[in-house]
Amino acid sequence: MSYQPFAYKKADLHHYNQRKYPIDMLVIHSMAHDAMEGIARLDEQKLSSHYVVDYDGTIFQCVDENNRAWHAGVSSWKGLNDINSRSIGIEVCHRSLGQSNFNKKQIKSLINLCKDIIERNKIAPTMIVGHSDIAPNRKPDPGKAFPWQELAAHNIGIWYGSRFSEEEDVAKMLSEIGYNVENEENIATSAYAFCRRFFPKKIVTMPTKKLLDNPYPNNCSSLLKDSAFIRSLQNISMQYKLYGNVKKGS
Ligand SMILES: [Zn+2]
């Protein structure tokens, strides 16, 4: 029997297959439905997620962690592509797809769930991502208001630290974090996804429907020359690097 530290409700999703790799990533999503609607919608679209966290913090387990759920789609992180094969996916219910604040009770429940998953599967903070981090051209979730800083205080993901990199090559720093920078479009959309997660002041608020069709504005390449963005990137890329170094030495 799989280890369960607290109660989950079960709501089976049916579209999944076998993993090709061991679990070493956690992907956080948001969806603009409550849990029951969202679960029905995923099933209809032949998609799935291991967990769904409802508005009130109720956790639904939908696919066994041992199976490969279908939540990430075409995506990339640190040059890895079959993210579904190596990750656990969590959908967080949020009507505006993370354009406005999340419910405190829901985030508390999400933090407990993440801590449990991370501890059991030994997932590194550098491998905890939002859907928009791994698919910046296609996906806006979990959204600009998702509380990454609060999660990082519980070692769920990376946040700002005291040291800055002196690197000035934006693409190089984005790629050191894990973002896909294989062409000009990817560099610009990855910069926008970086801001969505680490520097949300730079993100415009769009209606949910528009956001789903068009997760980034046309002019987002202007970010690449923005000095405040570059300063943030010099800090965050350094934290990813430091974490990598600590790991190798231990
Ligand atoms: Zn998603």
Side-chain angles (χ1 to χ4, degrees):
M1 204 182 84
S2 61
Y3 166 63
Q4 296 197 346
F6 46 82
Y8 303 119
K9 288 193 176 168
K10 282 283 230 178
D12 287 341
L13 281 168
H14 308 96
H15 302 282
Y16 57 81
N17 58 357
Q18 244 185 349
R19 291 185 182 281
K20 293 184 191 145
Y21 308 111
I23 296 163
D24 64 1
M25 284 187 78
L26 177 60
V27 182
I28 297 179
H29 303 257
S30 63
M31 62 177 175
H33 307 280
D34 69 28
M36 290 330 278
E37 282 166 17
I39 288 166
R41 187 66 71 89
L42 288 171
D43 220 24
E44 252 167 55
Q45 297 176 327
K46 297 190 165 49
L47 295 171
S48 60
S49 177
H50 297 94
Y51 298 96
V52 174
V53 183
D54 210 349
Y55 300 132
D56 66 356
T58 305
I59 297 167
F60 291 84
Q61 185 176 36
C62 306
V63 175
D64 190 286
E65 286 182 15
N66 294 320
N67 291 320
R68 178 180 179 274
W70 299 352
H71 56 96
V74 177
S75 46
S76 164
W77 190 247
K78 295 187 184 291
L80 307 165
N81 292 308
D82 183 0
I83 305 295
N84 282 337
S85 264
R86 58 196 322 137
S87 65
I88 289 177
I90 304 177
E91 289 280 359
V92 182
C93 298
H94 195 266
R95 286 275 174 216
S96 70
L97 282 183
Q99 300 293 287
S100 57
N101 286 347
F102 285 73
N103 169 349
K104 284 198 168 113
K105 208 171 152 196
Q106 183 186 35
I107 294 304
K108 200 174 163 202
S109 175
L110 173 68
I111 287 172
N112 285 333
L113 174 63
C114 290
K115 280 164 76 173
D116 176 55
I117 292 169
I118 291 165
E119 202 177 303
R120 281 185 292 103
N121 294 286
K122 308 285 174 246
I123 299 173
T126 50
M127 298 297 269
I128 296 163
V129 296
H131 201 186
S132 58
D133 295 317
I134 59 174
N137 292 357
R138 300 187 302 115
K139 295 292 174 182
D141 62 303
K144 61 180 272 194
F146 186 78
W148 286 109
Q149 182 175 8
E150 189 180 346
L151 266 69
H154 295 270
N155 292 319
I156 306 165
I158 298 282
W159 197 246
Y160 291 89
S162 55
R163 287 179 58 189
F164 288 79
S165 159
E166 284 174 17
E167 181 60 58
E168 284 179 1
D169 183 335
V170 165
K172 188 169 175 219
M173 287 187 280
L174 285 168
S175 116
E176 280 168 356
I177 294 170
Y179 289 100
N180 180 359
V181 295
E182 67 189 359
N183 59 44
E184 290 302 315
E185 189 198 4
N186 278 310
I187 295 170
T189 59
S190 290
Y192 197 71
F194 170 92
C195 288
R196 190 180 266 123
R197 177 161 173 183
F198 296 107
F199 199 17
K201 266 190 232 161
K202 296 279 172 193
I203 301 297
V204 291
T205 302
M206 286 195 269
T208 308
K209 270 222 167 87
K210 204 172 162 212
L211 198 63
L212 283 171
D213 295 336
N214 194 13
Y216 59 91
N218 292 331
N219 62 354
C220 69
S221 61
S222 63
L223 265 181
L224 304 175
K225 292 192 174 72
D226 182 296
S227 59
F229 156 71
I230 293 171
R231 191 82 178 134
S232 283
L233 185 56
Q234 285 173 328
N235 189 294
I236 294 290
S237 63
M238 185 55 137
Q239 312 319 313
Y240 274 77
K241 239 184 186 164
L242 288 171
Y243 188 85
N245 291 342
V246 169
K247 241 191 129 187
K248 266 175 228 149
S250 62

